[in-house]
Amino acid sequence: MEIKRYQKIIALFILQVVMLVLLSGCYAKKEDKKEKVRIAFFPNITHAQALIGKELGTFQKRIGNDVKVEYKVFNAGPAEIEAFLANEVDIGYIGPIPAINGFAKTNGEIKIIAGAANGGIMLLSRKDLNIKSLDDLKGKRIAIPQYGNTRDIVLRFLLNKSGLKDTTKGGDVEIIQAENPDIKTLLDKKQIDGALVPEPWGTRLRKEVGTNILLDSNQIKQYIDIPTTVVITSSKFLKEHPDIVEKFLAAHLEITDFIKKNPQKAVEIINKQIFTLTSTSLPADILKESFNRLEFSTDIQKEALNEGTKVYYELGYLNQKPDIKELINNEFLKKAKEVYKN
């Protein structure tokens, strides 16, 4: 009798274990089916809305708990576009040139749905060199963060305006690709003569290495006026998840307003997120000065984007000039503005 009692206890225990496994399996399947949106961005001050939205949970609050918000961090635009092509991200903060390139590569699948930031780039030169104008870059080595990104295209456009070309095109200005921290090292070692970089690296290099500002954002704007950061998604995601896109953009509007109304607090949050993502924070004075060189706006600058597209095409990066009307979709931004107002 005692043995039978133990057998019943064991059988009951096994049954409970089986039920728990089955229930956990059902729960896991339910979790797997939960919708998600994957937001791409750089750990950079020029992607301030993404950094602040991640820290404050603004995207998740606006989109709602039925959709899981995930974040994907990149260091340059071309890599982010590759992630879009591989269906690894859904919405992204990115420079306009990679966005245009992605639009061309996907036959119009990539769409710009909002603006984010303008300004915040510098063309710098070493202090020990007598570089006073673009003409003086002849025979020099100039660094950019990555080939094919917005800074690269801006630099090549500036060189062309001065009748200069990079060495791969038969000219005598060598364009060097290097990540921003490596650019600092190269300048320190005098292995390059200058660099065109985004903030906060422009201010950081000027203060820590001792570089001259050959052209700041306002001066560059006189040559080529192009946004620094835009927001993109895919036609597929727009079609399948219009509600998520609209709610995301409402959050984007909310964060942009927060930045304008609370600049000091915004700087603190940005620095906290940069440290979380890179294990490196920025000195307060560098971050503040960098921040003041940027203008944050959700508006889509059609004329500037059209100019950027034209330059990208004229430099030989595109076989044909894309139709700017097809590149931009501002309908969701209009709807989001109404939602945000209410």
Side-chain angles (χ1 to χ4, degrees):
M1 292 292 291
E2 192 70 21
I3 293 174
K4 287 184 177 180
R5 190 166 70 85
Y6 281 130
Q7 286 176 335
K8 286 181 180 179
I9 292 171
I10 292 170
L12 183 60
F13 176 74
I14 292 171
L15 180 62
Q16 288 176 332
V17 171
V18 171
M19 289 299 292
L20 284 171
V21 170
L22 289 173
L23 287 171
S24 64
C26 291
Y27 178 76
K29 287 180 180 178
K30 186 177 180 181
E31 282 294 299
D32 289 341
K33 289 181 180 178
K34 187 175 182 179
E35 279 190 311
K36 62 183 177 182
V37 56
R38 300 160 297 180
I39 301 172
F41 68 100
F42 305 171
N44 196 308
I45 191 172
T46 56
H47 290 212
Q49 288 98 330
L51 293 166
I52 293 171
K54 179 176 180 293
E55 176 65 26
L56 298 182
T58 313
F59 296 116
Q60 189 68 75
K61 290 173 189 173
R62 281 276 180 178
I63 293 171
N65 292 327
D66 291 339
V67 179
K68 183 181 180 182
V69 176
E70 295 181 354
Y71 298 94
K72 306 286 184 179
V73 182
F74 296 87
N75 288 314
E80 184 178 320
I81 288 297
E82 290 303 317
F84 266 97
L85 297 178
N87 194 33
E88 294 173 353
V89 294
D90 303 307
I91 300 174
Y93 289 83
I94 198 168
I97 294 301
I100 293 166
N101 189 39
F103 175 83
K105 276 188 173 182
T106 60
N107 295 316
E109 179 65 15
I110 296 295
K111 302 292 183 184
I112 293 175
I113 56 173
N118 304 305
I121 58 173
M122 281 189 208
L123 179 56
L124 305 170
S125 64
R126 285 192 355 231
K127 269 194 173 179
D128 60 311
L129 298 174
N130 187 29
I131 298 176
K132 303 295 184 183
S133 68
L134 290 170
D135 294 338
D136 296 330
L137 295 181
K138 184 176 181 180
K140 301 297 188 291
R141 304 180 84 215
I142 309 298
I144 43 88
Q146 187 173 19
Y147 294 134
N149 75 353
T150 304
R151 263 64 64 185
D152 181 29
I153 301 309
V154 168
L155 176 60
R156 293 175 194 275
F157 179 81
L158 292 173
L159 292 177
N160 281 7
K161 280 293 183 180
S162 294
L164 300 172
K165 293 180 181 178
D166 69 285
T167 51
T168 62
K169 302 290 185 182
D172 45 21
V173 178
E174 187 176 357
I175 298 177
I176 308 294
Q177 174 180 273
E179 292 188 8
N180 290 313
D182 296 330
I183 289 176
K184 180 177 182 294
T185 302
L186 292 171
L187 283 167
D188 273 329
K189 294 182 177 180
K190 298 185 178 182
Q191 293 178 352
I192 57 174
D193 306 304
L196 196 148
V197 293
E199 290 291 12
W201 284 98
T203 298
R204 188 172 178 181
L205 293 175
R206 189 174 63 80
K207 291 196 172 186
E208 295 180 1
V209 180
T211 55
N212 290 320
I213 300 176
L214 184 57
L215 294 175
D216 63 19
S217 289
N218 289 329
Q219 291 167 316
I220 289 173
K221 192 175 180 179
Q222 304 307 311
Y223 292 90
I224 176 171
D225 182 11
I226 187 168
T228 301
T229 310
V230 295
V231 181
I232 63 171
T233 189
S234 65
S235 294
K236 182 175 182 290
F237 196 77
L238 280 173
K239 184 178 180 180
E240 294 179 356
H241 304 283
D243 55 330
I244 294 178
V245 173
E246 192 175 306
K247 290 173 182 177
F248 166 87
L249 288 173
H252 178 62
L253 287 160
E254 180 182 341
I255 298 161
T256 305
D257 273 356
F258 174 85
I259 291 171
K260 292 176 180 178
K261 294 173 182 176
N262 307 277
Q264 184 56 45
K265 184 64 176 176
V267 167
E268 292 172 8
I269 295 170
I270 289 166
N271 212 12
K272 182 180 177 182
Q273 264 298 306
I274 289 175
F275 180 77
T276 299
L277 296 167
T278 68
S279 299
T280 304
S281 59
L282 293 167
D285 60 330
I286 288 178
L287 192 55
K288 184 177 180 180
E289 185 175 329
S290 301
F291 190 81
N292 289 337
R293 291 180 185 275
L294 285 161
E295 176 193 351
F296 297 97
S297 172
T298 60
D299 294 336
I300 301 174
Q301 299 182 53
K302 288 185 179 180
E303 290 184 10
L305 286 166
N306 190 43
E307 181 180 2
T309 304
K310 180 183 176 184
V311 169
Y312 199 44
Y313 169 69
E314 290 176 348
L315 288 172
Y317 285 91
L318 299 171
N319 293 325
Q320 59 182 24
K321 184 178 178 292
D323 184 351
I324 195 71
K325 293 179 182 178
E326 295 297 322
L327 171 64
I328 294 170
N329 182 323
N330 61 6
E331 293 305 312
F332 288 85
L333 184 62
K334 290 178 182 177
K335 292 177 183 178
K337 285 181 178 179
E338 290 302 316
V339 171
Y340 178 56
K341 285 178 185 177
N342 300 323

